[in-house]
Amino acid sequence: MNDLKKKSNPWALLPIGVFLVLYLGLGITLEYGLKIEMGFYSIPIVVAFLVAILVACFQNPALKFDNKLEVMAKGVGDKNIFTMILIFLAAGIFVGVTGRDSAEAVAYFLLDVAPPKLAVAVLFVSAAFVSTAMGTSCGTITLLVPIAVAVSEASGFSLAFCVGSVMGGSMFGDNLSFISDTTIAACNTQGCAMKDKFRTNFRIALPAALLTIVLVLALSLTTDAGSVVEKDYNMVLLIPYLIVLAGGLAGINVFLVLLAGIVSGAVIVLAQGAVDPLTLMGNMGSGASGMFETILVTVLVSALCGLVREFGGFESLLNLIRKCAKGNKGGQLGVGLLVGAMDIATANNTVAIVMAGPIAKEISTEYGISPQKSASLLDTFSCIFQGILPYGAQMLLAISAVAVLGHAISAFDIIPFLFYPYMLAITSVISILFSKKNK
């Protein structure tokens, strides 16, 4: 059952193809054909995966249905999958406890101490910090794009420039945060510690962020900037985020880190009277429930991948990569392009990582790629593609947030100002070219 090299069956990939056609095709039709706002995300991804699993169950009639259920159960019952689900829940509760005031405090504090000409660079740095602390690019965009609009109105900087900087910074944290669902998925599918993945990833992300800041400053200094927005902020609310960041960097168990963040956050918001105990419990529940679809998708993808692997689909993909990729560097590029293709098809970097993860594990073993490097490649390349997709959740949320405030902007206005994903692509390729084979 586990000897993949004895069988290779391209038809085993049919369920994945069915999912991609169903989800991507209907999403594009709704979003761009029928002009339905957020139409791409109106497609129930859970239903699309159930259809794909149904197709897989009709394949390989030689294997009884009960045996297929066993194969799916083994895929879902993997220790890494269960660990991932628990971390998803804990991360959701943490975000529910800390709320939005903490994130806004970072932005307003930095805008308060920086000169007006640095306002857009401040937006990028604020988004990078907030997304790293919160572990969500979409949440960061929702919180900070209204601030970016206010900065544009007050300072005279281009609206697309301000929004693009927030989006770029949000992808920085999405890629690096210890509680980001992409980090959790990448580390658990590749079997590496989060601190090891962070160190490997940071060497790629930091140069990209610094190059982005240089580009933003170069463009900002050619613009006559006016005043910037001001608002009261409470820096005490940052303590839970700092605890999570410090604990993650120190290599403390992620559950303990999140527990400390949840407890400290609850104590602070209750002590300051920001919420009452009943509201706090409701926020915790809302944070956890916000992860339910991600968890369900993780379970369904694991079941589907179990069948695809059993029927020879993984070996078929590996054979294709073997023909195209030569050596360790080729294998790394293969992992990056694999997750990038999945992300283009699903417009969801977490789903892309969960789908590509088992195949990437096989590639990394065969080509001598370390688990932390493989996890870094999955997370980084998925963020590169997700960060610039015109139909990605991040882009659609940014456009919607701008529209709510009475402004009109399109994805193609913003795309030229997405400096960070472009710089991250450059530093990622350079890191592959100068990498050494894992011993």
Side-chain angles (χ1 to χ4, degrees):
M1 179 179 288
N2 294 320
D3 192 356
L4 294 178
K5 292 188 177 181
K6 289 184 179 180
K7 55 185 178 182
S8 174
N9 179 18
W11 282 106
L13 298 172
L14 178 63
I16 295 178
V18 168
F19 165 77
L20 297 180
V21 170
L22 186 63
Y23 186 69
L24 182 62
L26 288 176
I28 291 176
T29 300
L30 290 179
E31 185 74 34
Y32 297 102
L34 301 178
K35 305 294 183 182
I36 296 175
E37 184 178 356
M38 297 292 286
F40 201 96
Y41 292 89
S42 299
I43 307 300
I45 191 170
V46 170
V47 175
F49 272 119
L50 283 173
V51 172
I53 290 174
L54 183 63
V55 171
C57 287
F58 279 110
Q59 290 184 303
N60 196 359
L63 192 67
K64 293 182 180 179
F65 182 68
D66 282 348
N67 297 125
K68 291 174 182 175
L69 289 176
E70 289 179 7
V71 171
M72 288 189 281
K74 287 180 180 178
V76 174
D78 184 89
K79 173 189 172 183
N80 290 324
I81 299 299
F82 185 67
T83 302
M84 194 188 314
I85 290 171
L86 292 179
I87 297 174
F88 280 150
L89 286 172
I93 293 171
F94 172 74
V95 173
V97 168
T98 52
R100 61 181 297 158
D101 291 339
S102 303
E104 292 180 344
V106 177
Y108 285 119
F109 167 71
L110 293 176
L111 287 170
D112 187 32
V113 299
K117 274 191 175 290
L118 303 184
V120 183
V122 165
L123 286 173
F124 173 79
V125 173
S126 300
F129 179 85
V130 169
S131 57
T132 303
M134 292 180 65
T136 166
S137 56
C138 290
T140 301
I141 289 168
T142 301
L143 292 174
L144 297 189
V145 163
I147 299 176
V149 173
V151 167
S152 174
E153 291 175 341
S155 65
F157 285 115
S158 160
L159 179 58
F161 185 27
C162 294
V163 173
S165 294
V166 168
M167 288 185 63
S170 72
M171 297 313 297
F172 175 89
D174 193 293
N175 184 206
L176 281 178
S177 175
F178 287 94
I179 59 173
S180 167
D181 46 6
T182 58
T183 295
I184 296 165
C187 291
N188 281 276
T189 57
Q190 303 310 294
C192 76
M194 289 190 179
K195 64 177 182 178
D196 295 331
K197 181 262 185 188
F198 179 88
R199 290 167 184 163
T200 303
N201 218 155
F202 191 70
R203 290 194 289 266
I204 302 170
L206 180 61
L210 294 176
L211 287 171
T212 299
I213 292 173
V214 169
L215 286 172
V216 170
L217 288 175
L219 194 56
S220 297
L221 294 175
T222 62
T223 304
D224 292 328
S227 61
V228 294
V229 291
E230 295 182 1
K231 187 177 179 180
D232 293 336
Y233 49 85
N234 185 356
M235 297 303 291
V236 176
L237 297 174
L238 296 182
I239 292 175
Y241 292 133
L242 296 176
I243 289 174
V244 169
L245 287 175
L249 289 171
I252 301 173
N253 182 281
V254 66
F255 288 114
L256 295 178
V257 170
L258 285 169
L259 180 61
I262 291 168
V263 172
S264 62
V267 169
I268 289 171
V269 296
L270 287 174
Q272 296 206 331
V275 296
D276 57 70
L278 191 60
T279 302
L280 177 63
M281 287 190 290
N283 292 342
M284 295 171 72
S286 298
S289 63
M291 291 289 186
F292 286 174
E293 183 176 74
T294 300
I295 291 171
L296 190 52
V297 166
T298 299
V299 170
L300 294 175
V301 170
S302 302
L304 178 62
C305 286
L307 289 174
V308 172
R309 180 197 294 269
E310 174 66 16
F311 297 163
F314 280 13
E315 183 62 21
S316 176
L317 275 175
L318 287 171
N319 284 341
L320 177 62
I321 292 172
R322 289 184 190 112
K323 293 178 181 177
C324 301
K326 304 299 179 184
N328 175 267
K329 293 178 176 61
Q332 291 184 54
L333 188 60
V335 170
L337 294 179
L338 173 66
V339 74
M342 294 290 188
D343 188 74
I344 290 172
T346 61
N348 186 310
N349 44 348
T350 305
V351 174
I353 291 171
V354 173
M355 291 181 70
I359 307 171
K361 183 67 174 175
E362 302 284 349
I363 297 171
S364 62
T365 300
E366 184 164 333
Y367 285 86
I369 304 169
S370 67
Q372 58 264 35
K373 183 64 176 179
S374 180
S376 174
L377 290 168
L378 283 172
D379 204 346
T380 301
F381 274 86
S382 69
C383 283
I384 290 169
F385 285 90
Q386 184 70 20
I388 60 177
L389 280 181
Y391 53 87
Q394 290 78 2
M395 183 69 76
L396 297 177
L397 279 172
I399 293 170
S400 297
V402 171
V404 167
L405 297 172
H407 296 270
I409 195 171
S410 75
F412 299 101
D413 293 326
I414 300 172
I415 286 173
F417 296 100
L418 296 173
F419 300 138
Y420 179 71
Y422 304 142
M423 295 302 103
L424 187 61
I426 292 171
T427 56
S428 297
V429 172
I430 291 174
S431 75
I432 291 174
L433 294 176
F434 288 92
S435 64
K436 296 181 180 179
K437 186 174 181 179
N438 180 43
K439 294 181 181 180

